[in-house]
């Protein structure tokens, strides 16, 4: 892939013909999905490790996966190996050799600069906090090649604001995978205020290449499409637990059977780490939604403060006894 830095103003040489040549060259050199070879993923946690896996397994890409220390990177790589073994190799969907190749394409890093240096695409999947994401995007803009697409896997946060930390807002996009990544079909492709159509197209192509179904939306919606509606349901379910209307198990059962959901909203939030995502992004939620809608539910605050990651456990140990 070549990057075009116009050496001369378009009209100074070659007249109109020169301009046409330059224009066609610029057109040629837009980033295309087929041109992506190297990728980087920022964050090796629940989502980062799964995204790295799907990029390597389905896309065949090299992936540089970053976290803040060696232990977290190692944990991320181990989780990839375990999932590949459990869901693919042991079921005969991949050979041991294929698994080895998938893992070998993923390299661990603790420096964003090092990891993104030669990348064509970077997907950020760090903690859900705007201030942190802006810091990361600024670093990425400085270290990733000029042609690289910078994407965020954010569940809720504004893509335009992340893009404002860079000098390439047209190449910043939301590529929002759902958990578990290997299973869930949806990828929300989120358009920031200045995201180019080419970047949106590239993100949609990538999602399809990874076996997903893209849905495009604007970034002006807190939680985009799926999480915006889902968040409201989790809030109501949490309030019902708080009022002791019924146990989390019974509330989930009612929603599962009443609306043919595969999982109730509370068990799903327990499964995907939804409570800690809410806790880390409370400040951003208040800024976007106002304090009435954005504030953490008192039950969520109490359980997270007490060190609980699952509402089922908090109910069993604490709420059902008091
Ligand atoms: N958990 C889900 O179900 C889910 C689903 C879709 C999207 N998301 C989004 O994905 C993102 C990550 O969520 P998660 O659940 O994987 O969180 P997580 O806490 O499991 O992982 C986040 C990782 O980012 C790392 N990190 C923090 N600062 C970093 C930095 N400066 N550089 C590199 N790594 C850094 C943390 O050490 C941690 O390992 C969030 O934006 C979240 O909203 C989560």
């Amino acid at each position: 892939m070549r990057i075009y830095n116009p050496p001369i103003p378009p009209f100074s040489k070659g007249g109109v013909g020169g301009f046409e040549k330059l224009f066609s060259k610029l057109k040629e050199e837009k980033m295309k999905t087929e041109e992506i070879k190297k990728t980087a993923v920022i964050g090796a946690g629940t989502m980062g490790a799964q995204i790295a896996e799907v990029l390597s397994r389905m896309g065949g890409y090299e992936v540089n996966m970053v976290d803040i220390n060696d232990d977290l990177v190692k944990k991320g790589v181990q989780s990839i190996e375990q999932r590949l073994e459990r869901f693919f190799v042991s079921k005969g969907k991949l050979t041991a050799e294929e698994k080895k190749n998938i893992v070998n394409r993923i390299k661990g890093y603790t420096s964003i600069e090092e990891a993104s240096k030669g990348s064509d695409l970077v997907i950020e999947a760090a903690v859900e906090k705007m201030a942190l994401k802006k810091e990361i995007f600024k670093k990425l803009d400085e270290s990733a090649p000029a042609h690289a697409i910078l994407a965020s896997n954010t569940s809720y946060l504004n893509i335009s604001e992340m893009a404002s930390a860079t000098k390439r807002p047209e190449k910043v996009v939301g590529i929002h995978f759902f958990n578990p990544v290997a299973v869930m079909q949806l990828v929300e492709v989120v358009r920031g205020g200045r995201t180019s159509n080419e970047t949106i197209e590239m993100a949609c192509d990538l999602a399809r290449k990874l076996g997903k179904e893209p849905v495009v939306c604007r970034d002006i919606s807190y939680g985009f499409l799926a999480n915006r509606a889902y968040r409201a349901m989790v809030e109501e379910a949490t309030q019902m637990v708080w009022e002791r209307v019924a146990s989390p198990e019974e509330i989930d059962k009612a929603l599962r059977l009443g609306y043919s959901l595969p999982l109730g909203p509370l068990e799903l939030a327990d499964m995907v780490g939804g409570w800690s995502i809410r806790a880390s992004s409370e400040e951003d939620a208040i800024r976007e939604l106002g304090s009435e809608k954005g504030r953490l539910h008192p039950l969520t605050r109490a359980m997270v403060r007490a060190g609980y990651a699952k509402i089922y456990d908090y109910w069993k140990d604490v709420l059902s006894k008091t």
Side-chain angles (χ1 to χ4, degrees), residues 42-48 51 66-69 72 112 124-129 132-133 135-136 139 152-157 176-179 227 272-274 276-277:
I42 313 303
T46 307
M47 291 305 285
I51 294 169
V66 191
D67 212 302
I68 49 178
N69 62 48
L72 289 167
I112 290 180
E124 171 278 319
V127 175
E128 185 78 337
K129 218 176 187 29
L132 171 70
K133 291 192 189 279
E135 251 175 55
I136 292 175
K139 273 191 199 163
S152 174
N153 182 54
T154 180
S155 307
Y156 291 96
L157 303 177
H176 180 208
F177 293 87
F178 285 72
N179 189 9
N227 278 340
V272 302
S276 67
I277 292 177

Side-chain angles (χ1 to χ4, degrees), residues 3 31 116 119-122 144-150 168 171-172:
I3 310 304
M31 184 72 192
S116 61
S119 298
D120 307 309
L121 165 77
V122 185
H147 68 268
I149 302 287
L150 306 181
R168 61 179 97 184
K171 292 185 188 299
V172 177

Side-chain angles (χ1 to χ4, degrees), residues 264-279:
L266 299 170
E267 54 192 334
L268 183 57
D270 277 6
M271 192 180 100
V272 302
W275 310 108
S276 67
I277 292 177
R278 272 159 190 259

Side-chain angles (χ1 to χ4, degrees), residues 42-242:
I42 313 303
T46 307
M47 291 305 285
Q50 294 187 71
I51 294 169
E53 179 208 311
V54 82
L55 284 169
S56 175
R57 180 170 54 80
M58 295 293 290
Y61 300 122
E62 287 177 39
V63 190
N64 293 343
M65 186 172 73
V66 191
D67 212 302
I68 49 178
N69 62 48
D70 287 332
D71 283 349
L72 289 167
V73 173
K74 217 163 123 194
K75 224 173 115 190
V77 175
Q78 277 166 356
S79 76
I80 294 170
E81 288 175 329
Q82 283 161 4
R83 266 191 308 273
L84 288 173
E85 187 60 43
R86 183 165 164 212
F87 298 113
F88 294 91
V89 178
S90 74
K91 295 187 171 166
K93 293 180 181 169
L94 283 177
T95 63
E97 183 67 18
E98 284 166 334
K99 174 190 157 187
K100 201 172 124 204
N101 292 337
I102 292 166
V103 175
N104 283 347
R105 280 196 290 271
I106 303 171
K107 308 227 159 22
Y109 285 82
T110 52
S111 151
I112 290 180
E113 289 84 350
E114 283 294 305
S116 61
K117 222 163 41 188
S119 298
D120 307 309
L121 165 77
V122 185
I123 302 181
E124 171 278 319
V127 175
E128 185 78 337
K129 218 176 187 29
M130 180 57 86
L132 171 70
K133 291 192 189 279
K134 281 173 85 172
E135 251 175 55
I136 292 175
F137 271 79
K138 186 168 184 298
K139 273 191 199 163
L140 289 175
D141 191 42
E142 286 159 4
S143 49
H147 68 268
I149 302 287
L150 306 181
S152 174
N153 182 54
T154 180
S155 307
Y156 291 96
L157 303 177
N158 188 267
I159 299 300
S160 306
E161 191 169 351
M162 290 175 217
S164 74
T166 76
K167 294 192 180 75
R168 61 179 97 184
E170 73 288 354
K171 292 185 188 299
V172 177
V173 64
I175 302 184
H176 180 208
F177 293 87
F178 285 72
N179 189 9
V181 177
V183 177
M184 303 307 278
Q185 280 270 289
L186 177 63
V187 166
E188 287 177 333
V189 171
V190 187
R191 182 192 284 279
R194 294 171 66 185
T195 310
S196 69
N197 288 340
E198 289 76 26
T199 301
I200 295 290
E201 259 171 50
M202 201 243 43
C204 290
D205 282 353
L206 175 80
R208 288 188 203 100
K209 180 163 181 181
L210 301 180
K212 309 293 175 202
E213 197 56 58
V215 175
V216 180
C217 67
R218 294 190 191 283
D219 71 345
I220 50 172
S221 165
Y222 187 76
F224 314 122
L225 304 174
N227 278 340
R228 176 166 164 182
Y230 185 72
R231 182 184 162 92
M233 183 162 55
V234 176
E235 279 304 297
E236 279 308 319
T238 307
Q239 178 61 23
M240 285 193 274
V241 178
W242 190 236

